Amino acid sequence: MLAVHLVSFFFSKLQEDPTKKVDRFLYAMRLHDDQLSDISARFQAEMKKGLSVESNAAAAVKMLPTHVRSTPDGSEKGQFLALDLGGSKFKVLQVKVREGMGIRRGGVEMEEKTYPIPKELLVGRGTELFDHVSESLKDFLHEKNISLDKKHPLAFTFSFACEQSSLDQGSLLGWSKNYRARGLQGKDVVQALRDAIDRTGGMDIEVLAMVNDTVATMMTCGFDDNYCEVGLIIGTGTNACYMEELRHVDLVEGDEGRMCVNTEWGAFGDDGALDDYLTEFDRDVDAASNNQGKQIFEKMVSGMYLGELVRLVVLKMAKLGLLFDGHVSDALRTKGKITTANVAAMEEYKNGLKNTRDILTGLSLTPSQDDCIAVQHVSTIVSFRSSNLVAAGLAAILTRIKQNRNLRALRITVGVDGAVYKTHPQYPKRLHKVVRRLLPECHVRFVLSDSGSSKGAALVTAVAQRLASQKRKVDETLSPFRLSHEQLQLVKARMRAGLEAGLKRKGSTAIKMLPSFVYRTPDGTEHGKYLALDLGGTNFRALLVNFKKGLQQNTRLHHKIYTIPLEIMQGTGEELFDHIVQCISDFLDYMGMKNARLPLGFTFSFPCRQTSLDAGILVTWTKGFKATDCEGEDVVGLLREAIKRREEFDLDVVAVVNDTVGTMMTCAYEEPTCEIGLIAGTGSNACYMEEMRNIEMIEGDEGRMCVNMEWGAFGDNGCLDDIRTEYDRAVDDFSLNPGKQRYEKMCSGMYLGEIVRNILIDMTKRGFLFRGQISETLKTRGIFETKFLSQIESDRLALLQVRSILQHLGLDSTCDDSIIVKEVCGTVSHRAAQLCGAGMAAVVDKIRENRGLDHLNITVGVDGTLYKLHPHFSRIMHQTVNELAPQCNVNFLLSEDGSGKGAALITAVGCRLRQELNNVDNLLSS
Ligand code: BG6
Ligand code: BG6
Ligand code: GLC
Ligand code: GLC
């Protein structure tokens, strides 16, 4: 019985598939999906660590910013020399890029020559290595008959970890693979190259960009595939790069857009993060390497080490008697005797076994058929583990990109290069399969770099060249908008002179300084129910306000918003006022108050020359209004006539009020120090409490009166022409009121978008925006409303969202376009805020001087969509006031209830005064 068992045991042993014992022996190298997901998660954590400024110093995976901000868009062009150093071959190239447009990419022509690098140079002095590089370059120029007289831009692919502070600077963090030249670590490699070129002499070379091979590979592949945002090398070494959101790249300033990050994932595990996955063979490979303890992941994955791993496994198995009947040859004991090319050959589809036998025989071994099957299987497990590890790393990167972009699914292309990927027969298929299994929701395409990395390096260089010239042009265009402190001081001084002239009414002054017949701010005694209208801002509103004496917080306010269609704004005066009265009628119905003849305050946000509180002659329409037969007329009269025409209800129009005045009153009701009103909205204007003695057109010297400055017209006499740009003039020329409201047209919401649009058109015409294509949308007046400017400039928006706003507006933009558009918006609104601040500085200083004070504390009541919605306007405006009026402490109070409430307060005072006058009359007549 026992004998039978023994026989069957030996029989089964004899029958056993030789791959099984290899499977058992290399159990630890066969990673299943759970382990790959675990490794992937660890790598994700490493990426985070490397990106963060706090943990970067201690991070093994360095996540190096590359200063490459965009993938190719077809507009790259030029002729470049290129060097490709650090892969298995050192090459010098000439790359010619012909420009294309959009998806129609240009063409690339390349000529190249491989120069061998003597082994001793790899480990000799750095300067000698670079001398060899530069002499090879010179030889190339000779051989290809490239002129030595001309300056040649050069792109440098340097496939080692470098810390870059710009595209053309990078200090070597450490050598890897088979390089170990002395004296370069920590040094700027670009400078080392330039020095070597100088030493060689006789060439005029401008090194414009240095890139890692992963980055260059991504760019090479990105030239044909827009979705390529990852670069991968599985060659002598291994590494990957990808497009990261700049806001996550702590080491580089700025939040806009993306930047390619060179992960240097070869160093994954250098801090022990992969220790539990390392086998004794990995430890042996590391121990025998020239960079012990470094590039742990690379040593499990890349071409320089795969053959060695196979040799060590085979050697160990042979020693244990599991192969070759326990026979071991000297060759098998020798480092480097099995290469990665051998591994690829052993795994060839048809000839694999035969190749294995030849290789083993070449190592003075006499393998059986089973030995060959087993050794082939060792190769398979080692190379399979390599592709699995790469898949885990890639899965981490793709997951991160997907999360960055808040996507559930991701479509992306990975550009790949390197001898292992290119020459190993099974590798690509295995890699693709595992990545797709780990990330079923991602549509991943792999593209082999057809022409090495130099095409990509040249593209980066071309972009660098283009961006530098584009930046110069953008700066040139925007520089007239960037006002110096001196210029702002001049604006303040001119505003002061302008308002003084307005108060004195000398000739026809630009700044009208219109008396408002409001003598004081509210004192809390106001009470009763009032109607108010608020016409001239973004919204037309009807309001009912109920004040309780001394109880500010108990004020009741009901309102309804109405629209005024453009054809009414610009139709006849009668139509406009009939429309207003129709809205009042609707509001009274809505409130159930048709029969109560309520007093009404009319906020009318246009310049009116008032002779009393309830009479105001419209000087001129401003902003978007142009109704006929109103200018020169008393608007209260026009309103009363329209009420009469309707014959439906009666109202007692007590006051006509500018919105600045209404706003000042609204705010003063809460805050008694409020003596200035400011509107930064569709239009721009201010009012303030001026001394009666200074207002020449009004009799009486006692006390104060609120003056509606109408500062929007500042500059109409030409005094701002030196700071107006051609774009301001274009906006003015095409406006409803050319030549008028020049200051308003530089700083209010109605015009900022138009200024932006005019700049964008010009930039597009000059070819550095929207690929030179002026779309119909861009030709459309008024597309950039203030709310879009506010959105575009919001700090919380990623560039992608800016792009989608532009897309929504019908402007098809690239990432670079969006950056420029945002900069244009920012510059225009910054100037607007500064100009408004300069105007306000003049006002507060005037009040301070009126009162003979060294120091003034004052509050400004403010309203308007620009002030309320724009992310930076208010801050910059406040800052400018502080800088230009250092003797004033100016507090800005946002009007919460609009100016209608203020108009109602003025109406309340008006009613009381009228009552008092009536009482006096009665007294006198009795
Ligand atoms: C080449 C690239 O095609 O691939 C090099 O041009 C890169 O820049 C190399 O370093 C990587 O592969 P290998 O196998 O040569 O290390
Ligand atoms: C509102 C006021 O809140 O702001 C209006 O009630 C004023 O009277 C307006 O005209 C100004 O802002 P915009 O942006 O609507 O012109
Ligand atoms: C090494 C280098 C890295 C390079 C990779 C592939 O890992 O450190 O910069 O990208 O090899 O060549
Ligand atoms: C315009 C008007 C002015 C108004 C301002 C803000 O400048 O002329 O009266 O105050 O816009 O709405």
Side-chain angles (χ1 to χ4, degrees):
M1 193 61 189
L2 182 69
V4 173
H5 274 296
L6 274 176
V7 168
S8 71
F9 174 70
F10 279 116
F11 192 69
S12 72
K13 223 31 194 161
L14 282 176
Q15 290 290 303
E16 190 188 49
D17 176 351
T19 59
K20 291 268 163 30
K21 69 178 170 203
V22 176
D23 280 345
R24 276 197 301 277
F25 189 72
L26 289 183
Y27 179 76
M29 279 198 182
R30 294 168 56 222
L31 303 173
H32 49 76
D33 282 3
D34 286 350
Q35 289 171 305
L36 294 180
S37 299
D38 170 44
I39 292 170
S40 191
R42 291 188 201 186
F43 186 62
Q44 273 202 61
E46 291 293 318
M47 286 200 283
K48 260 199 183 153
K49 200 168 159 188
L51 284 170
S52 141
V53 75
E54 287 94 40
S55 45
N56 176 273
V61 178
K62 283 293 178 223
M63 305 296 284
L64 300 166
T66 63
H67 301 272
V68 169
R69 291 166 193 264
S70 57
T71 49
D73 69 359
S75 64
E76 300 80 6
K77 61 175 175 196
Q79 199 167 325
F80 305 91
L81 291 170
L83 296 172
D84 184 355
L85 180 72
S88 50
K89 289 177 189 155
F90 162 53
K91 290 188 239 174
V92 185
L93 307 93
Q94 187 180 36
V95 188
K96 293 180 191 167
V97 189
R98 254 179 292 113
E99 186 183 6
M101 272 296 171
I103 44 169
R104 197 171 54 75
R105 303 292 162 122
V108 178
E109 277 169 42
M110 295 178 41
E111 282 198 82
E112 63 172 59
K113 187 174 174 192
T114 299
Y115 288 85
I117 300 189
K119 266 213 170 88
E120 60 277 13
L121 284 186
L122 297 178
V123 293
R125 286 226 303 271
T127 44
E128 284 165 11
L129 174 65
F130 273 66
D131 281 344
H132 176 71
V133 168
S134 111
E135 274 150 26
S136 306
L137 174 64
K138 192 166 184 184
D139 176 80
F140 182 81
L141 294 177
H142 273 300
E143 193 179 307
K144 303 287 176 195
N145 268 329
I146 299 171
S147 154
L148 291 176
D149 305 331
K150 254 177 49 191
K151 194 181 203 78
H152 297 284
L154 182 137
F156 184 23
T157 306
F158 183 68
S159 311
F160 300 94
C162 286
E163 204 164 60
Q164 292 189 266
S165 62
S166 64
L167 264 182
D168 64 348
Q169 183 282 338
S171 60
L172 177 65
L173 287 177
W175 289 113
S176 54
K177 301 177 281 194
N178 48 346
Y179 280 70
R180 213 179 30 178
R182 293 189 303 277
L184 273 180
Q185 197 156 326
K187 298 270 167 60
D188 177 4
V189 184
V190 176
Q191 196 50 49
L193 176 63
R194 286 179 183 141
D195 293 345
I197 292 172
D198 283 350
R199 278 196 299 275
T200 304
M203 295 177 280
D204 194 0
I205 305 284
E206 187 182 14
V207 188
L208 279 174
M210 178 179 81
V211 285
N212 187 260
D213 53 353
T214 52
V215 183
T217 298
M218 176 186 83
M219 297 296 282
T220 298
C221 299
F223 193 61
D224 301 311
D225 182 335
N226 273 327
Y227 289 95
C228 185
E229 296 191 82
V230 179
L232 171 65
I233 299 282
I234 316 159
T236 316
T238 183
N239 190 12
C241 71
Y242 71 101
M243 295 304 287
E244 175 60 87
E245 306 303 311
L246 193 53
R247 64 178 187 279
H248 295 155
V249 186
D250 280 4
L251 300 170
V252 176
E253 279 214 5
D255 282 342
E256 297 306 337
R258 299 189 178 141
M259 181 173 282
C260 179
V261 167
N262 165 17
T263 65
E264 283 297 329
W265 79 11
F268 179 26
D270 290 8
D271 56 358
L274 288 174
D275 279 2
D276 47 340
Y277 286 104
L278 293 182
T279 64
E280 57 174 298
F281 309 106
D282 297 309
R283 292 183 210 281
D284 288 348
V285 164
D286 181 42
S289 70
N290 61 18
N291 53 350
Q292 282 169 25
K294 300 245 167 80
Q295 302 292 98
I296 296 299
F297 185 69
E298 180 159 271
K299 286 170 186 164
M300 298 164 89
V301 166
S302 81
M304 185 153 159
Y305 310 97
L306 290 186
E308 207 30 31
L309 281 169
V310 169
R311 185 186 69 83
L312 290 172
V313 173
V314 172
L315 177 64
K316 178 80 187 264
M317 286 183 80
K319 280 183 180 165
L320 291 174
L322 293 167
L323 287 174
F324 319 126
D325 288 332
H327 178 76
V328 177
S329 69
D330 282 349
L332 186 60
R333 281 203 181 87
T334 310
K335 185 178 166 190
K337 280 291 177 187
I338 296 182
T339 62
T340 300
N342 294 152
V343 174
M346 288 196 267
E347 289 178 62
E348 241 177 56
Y349 176 53
K350 275 191 183 139
N351 298 327
L353 266 184
K354 183 186 166 298
N355 292 345
T356 309
R357 179 177 296 280
D358 293 347
I359 289 161
L360 293 174
T361 315
L363 294 173
S364 317
L365 296 161
T366 35
S368 65
Q369 180 67 2
D370 277 4
D371 285 337
C372 290
I373 294 173
V375 171
Q376 185 186 44
H377 198 54
V378 171
S379 275
T380 306
I381 289 177
V382 169
S383 63
F384 221 126
R385 184 183 66 155
S386 163
S387 60
N388 276 341
L389 288 170
V390 170
L394 259 187
I397 290 178
L398 299 182
T399 305
R400 185 165 170 93
I401 296 178
K402 190 160 66 88
Q403 285 168 354
N404 276 346
R405 301 182 191 176
N406 230 339
L407 299 170
R408 260 188 291 139
L410 177 70
R411 174 175 176 186
I412 199 154
T413 298
V414 180
V416 200
D417 207 341
V420 175
Y421 188 86
K422 281 199 290 208
T423 58
H424 189 289
Q426 327 280 352
Y427 203 99
K429 243 192 282 157
R430 291 179 192 158
L431 172 68
H432 306 170
K433 207 165 149 188
V434 181
V435 170
R436 286 171 190 146
R437 204 166 67 224
L438 292 178
L439 294 177
E441 70 283 13
C442 291
H443 178 75
V444 191
R445 183 169 175 243
F446 290 84
V447 173
L448 176 67
S449 159
D450 52 352
S451 46
S453 70
S454 296
K455 178 162 136 187
L459 293 170
V460 171
T461 312
V463 172
Q465 230 177 10
R466 177 166 53 85
L467 286 180
S469 101
Q470 191 182 51
K471 176 139 186 35
R472 269 196 305 277
K473 289 186 203 153
V474 170
D475 280 348
E476 259 165 40
T477 313
L478 295 180
S479 73
F481 287 88
R482 302 197 165 118
L483 301 178
S484 65
H485 185 72
E486 289 67 35
Q487 281 175 306
L488 290 171
Q489 252 164 345
L490 260 180
V491 173
K492 176 189 168 192
R494 291 171 186 171
M495 175 68 91
R496 175 66 184 265
L499 76 83
E500 298 283 6
L503 286 172
K504 297 207 167 69
R505 278 240 10 238
K506 277 200 276 177
S508 80
T509 59
I511 305 176
K512 292 274 175 302
M513 304 299 283
L514 302 167
S516 70
F517 293 85
V518 170
Y519 294 91
R520 62 169 177 81
T521 51
D523 62 6
T525 60
E526 299 77 7
H527 61 100
K529 279 186 187 163
Y530 304 90
L531 277 178
L533 295 178
D534 185 352
L535 176 77
T538 315
N539 297 311
F540 168 48
R541 296 200 289 175
L543 306 90
L544 178 73
V545 195
N546 189 355
F547 300 106
K548 303 256 162 63
K549 217 181 210 165
L551 289 170
Q552 275 93 332
Q553 63 278 24
N554 280 359
T555 305
R556 284 276 168 79
L557 199 149
H558 301 274
H559 80 162
K560 205 168 164 193
I561 292 178
Y562 297 90
T563 51
I564 301 204
L566 191 72
E567 61 273 19
I568 295 223
M569 276 158 76
Q570 297 174 12
T572 68
E574 207 171 288
E575 281 161 356
L576 171 64
F577 280 89
D578 282 347
H579 178 75
I580 293 171
V581 172
Q582 190 192 327
C583 297
I584 304 177
S585 162
D586 174 85
F587 182 67
L588 292 174
D589 280 338
Y590 169 71
M591 298 302 303
M593 304 194 75
K594 263 277 165 58
N595 301 319
R597 186 177 181 267
L598 288 176
L600 176 132
F602 184 16
T603 301
F604 184 70
S605 312
F606 302 94
C608 284
R609 204 172 288 291
Q610 291 187 247
T611 46
S612 64
L613 199 55
D614 66 348
I617 292 165
L618 174 63
V619 179
T620 174
W621 284 116
T622 55
K623 299 179 282 193
F625 282 72
K626 200 75 194 162
T628 55
D629 308 322
C630 297
E631 290 175 352
E633 301 294 325
D634 171 16
V635 291
V636 176
L638 294 177
L639 180 63
R640 284 184 183 137
E641 280 163 26
I643 294 173
K644 221 181 265 163
R645 270 200 297 280
R646 196 172 172 96
E647 292 182 342
E648 194 187 340
F649 53 86
D650 196 13
L651 292 173
D652 176 16
V653 187
V654 177
V656 57
V657 179
N658 188 261
D659 52 355
T660 52
V661 183
T663 298
M664 178 189 79
M665 295 296 275
T666 302
C667 293
Y669 193 52
E670 319 285 332
E671 171 52 62
T673 61
C674 177
E675 295 183 88
I676 302 176
L678 170 67
I679 299 285
T682 315
S684 174
N685 192 13
C687 71
Y688 69 97
M689 297 304 291
E690 178 55 273
E691 307 301 315
M692 282 287 280
R693 64 173 188 276
N694 293 337
I695 312 174
E696 296 205 350
M697 57 212 119
I698 300 280
E699 292 209 352
D701 277 350
E702 288 305 307
R704 294 176 184 152
M705 182 187 278
C706 179
V707 173
N708 164 19
M709 296 178 68
E710 286 298 327
W711 79 8
F714 176 33
D716 289 6
N717 57 0
C719 76
L720 290 176
D721 284 0
D722 56 338
I723 59 165
R724 285 172 85 221
T725 65
E726 57 179 292
Y727 311 104
D728 295 305
R729 282 191 287 276
V731 169
D732 184 27
D733 288 348
F734 287 98
S735 67
L736 282 177
N737 49 352
K740 296 203 174 140
Q741 303 291 100
R742 294 190 196 176
Y743 179 65
E744 176 162 270
K745 284 171 187 162
M746 296 164 91
C747 57
S748 82
M750 180 156 167
Y751 306 97
L752 296 191
E754 269 306 277
I755 303 178
V756 167
R757 193 179 67 86
N758 275 281
I759 300 175
L760 299 185
I761 289 183
D762 186 41
M763 288 179 161
T764 311
K765 272 190 195 151
R766 286 159 60 203
F768 54 97
L769 192 67
F770 300 135
R771 299 182 183 126
Q773 305 289 307
I774 299 187
S775 60
E776 281 308 309
T777 321
L778 197 57
K779 287 190 210 148
T780 316
R781 300 229 320 256
I783 48 159
F784 278 107
E785 294 170 39
T786 319
K787 65 176 178 207
F788 293 126
L789 281 202
S790 300
Q791 284 172 15
I792 289 170
E793 287 185 60
S794 159
D795 288 335
R796 287 193 303 264
L797 278 202
L799 211 61
L800 206 64
Q801 289 163 294
V802 173
R803 234 169 121 183
S804 87
I805 294 172
L806 294 177
Q807 222 108 40
H808 184 74
L809 289 175
L811 295 172
D812 191 13
S813 65
T814 62
C815 236
D816 289 342
D817 289 340
S818 318
I819 293 176
I820 295 179
V821 172
K822 192 166 177 176
E823 186 174 354
V824 172
C825 292
T827 309
V828 170
S829 62
H830 194 270
R831 183 190 65 160
Q834 287 184 318
L835 286 174
C836 181
M840 186 46 71
V843 175
V844 290
D845 257 349
K846 163 76 177 156
I847 298 177
R848 184 181 60 76
E849 286 170 32
N850 276 347
R851 301 180 188 180
L853 297 171
D854 278 341
H855 192 88
L856 174 76
N857 283 320
I858 199 157
T859 297
V860 182
V862 203
D863 208 341
T865 39
L866 188 58
Y867 187 88
K868 286 200 283 207
L869 300 184
H870 192 279
H872 310 299
F873 184 92
S874 55
R875 180 179 44 80
I876 298 162
M877 197 263 284
H878 299 168
Q879 196 181 323
T880 312
V881 176
N882 285 339
E883 282 166 15
L884 297 180
Q887 287 167 280
C888 300
N889 180 17
V890 187
N891 168 35
F892 289 87
L893 181 63
L894 181 67
S895 158
E896 300 288 351
D897 298 323
S899 72
K901 183 173 166 185
L905 284 164
I906 294 170
T907 306
V909 176
C911 286
R912 197 170 63 200
L913 282 176
R914 215 161 49 182
Q915 188 63 46
E916 283 164 11
L917 279 178
N918 281 343
N919 291 347
V920 174
D921 279 353
N922 290 343
L923 217 71
L924 289 177
S925 59
S926 62

